[in-house]
Amino acid sequence: MKFFIDTANTDEIKDAVELGIMDGVTTNPSLVAKENRPIEEILLEICELVDGPVSAEVTATDHVHMVEEGLKLADLHDNICVKLPITRDGLKACVELTAEDIPTNMTLCFSPMQALLVAKAGATFVSPFVGRLDDIAQDGMKLIGDIIQMYNNYGFTTEVLVASIRNPIHVYQAAMLGADVATIPLSVIDMLLKHPLTDIGLEKFLADWDKTGQTI
Ligand code: E4P
């Protein structure tokens, strides 16, 4: 399972990259807007930090300008993966960018049918938003299972990138279902590492060791 970090904040990315287990980054217009810096500067810095796909989202809504923006973003760095919303125009832009060998991440996916269409369009990744579905009392993880089964039925190669992750249970369930990628906020990555019994166990080991007076 690949781990991406879901942020446009380079300090958070550096922090996560230090762990040595990160495979990529996802950003979106809201995350980039929070940084208050030119998007090109942020993306270039991120691409130098992470050896893997860096999703950068277009903000145009018609397919001609989506492709134009996508080409501009892709020109910035080889790691850029163009993120497009799943709309009629987004789908067309996905087909056109795929024909140019530009990787795409189809975002704001909330139904298995949307996922089926983007796989047919040749998307590199599909991003189903589990947290936002859970927020409106719909089962986000059910969507992940449905998409994986559908893709397996037909051998689609589009990778299922679980997005809008809010807690460790989301990561656990995504892994149990065999999702290809989870894009995770830094706060949740930290939570994955934590277990109270690990802390208690370590404290006891070290206290016992101290009593021996030995060093290694
Ligand atoms: C992923 O690509 C999205 O940027 C992100 O996961 C959305 O998460 P949110 O629903 O917490 O905003």
Side-chain angles (χ1 to χ4, degrees):
M1 185 186 211
K2 293 176 204 163
F3 269 23
F4 291 0
I5 178 166
D6 195 28
T7 184
N9 183 283
T10 48
D11 287 335
E12 286 187 4
I13 294 168
K14 279 182 207 152
D15 207 351
V17 164
E18 273 178 15
L19 293 172
I21 58 161
M22 299 314 296
D23 303 293
V25 178
T26 52
T27 69
N28 64 38
S30 305
L31 292 172
V32 173
K34 275 209 286 196
E35 298 307 307
N36 234 345
R37 288 203 286 148
I39 182 168
E40 293 85 359
E41 185 183 299
I42 297 174
L43 290 173
L44 280 174
E45 216 175 301
I46 296 176
C47 287
E48 291 307 320
L49 289 172
V50 184
D51 186 18
V54 174
S55 288
E57 190 160 341
V58 303
T59 52
T61 51
D62 67 282
H63 81 99
V64 174
H65 291 104
M66 281 170 146
V67 170
E68 214 171 274
E69 287 186 8
L71 291 171
K72 242 165 128 179
L73 290 169
D75 246 7
L76 287 175
H77 198 283
D78 283 350
N79 287 357
I80 295 287
C81 174
V82 177
K83 208 172 179 192
L84 302 154
I86 305 178
T87 58
R88 176 177 260 270
D89 281 85
L91 197 71
K92 283 157 88 174
C94 175
V95 172
E96 288 181 41
L97 290 169
T98 302
E100 301 289 327
D101 274 336
I102 291 171
T104 54
N105 175 358
M106 298 305 288
T107 193
L108 292 167
C109 175
F110 294 99
S111 86
M113 290 301 98
Q114 289 180 316
L116 184 59
L117 292 181
V118 304
K120 285 187 68 69
T124 315
F125 301 102
V126 63
S127 287
F129 278 36
V130 292
R132 292 193 194 186
L133 279 171
D134 289 357
D135 288 347
I136 58 159
Q138 290 189 19
D139 188 348
M141 272 309 147
K142 164 99 174 45
L143 174 61
I144 303 302
D146 287 351
I147 297 172
I148 290 172
Q149 185 181 328
M150 203 182 278
Y151 283 9
N152 286 342
N153 287 347
Y154 296 101
F156 285 119
T157 55
T158 299
E159 292 187 43
V160 180
L161 191 169
V162 181
S164 187
I165 282 179
R166 304 272 161 81
N167 55 56
I169 299 285
H170 280 149
V171 182
Y172 166 73
Q173 290 174 327
M176 291 305 287
L177 289 167
D180 301 286
V181 191
T183 189
I184 319 173
L186 184 61
S187 56
V188 178
I189 296 174
D190 283 335
M191 284 184 222
L192 295 176
L193 207 53
K194 280 275 164 201
H195 197 290
L197 290 179
T198 305
D199 297 340
I200 293 166
L202 181 60
E203 202 178 315
K204 175 87 172 69
F205 283 159
L206 295 182
D208 289 344
W209 184 249
D210 260 2
K211 288 179 211 150
T212 71
Q214 296 185 58
T215 51
I216 298 175

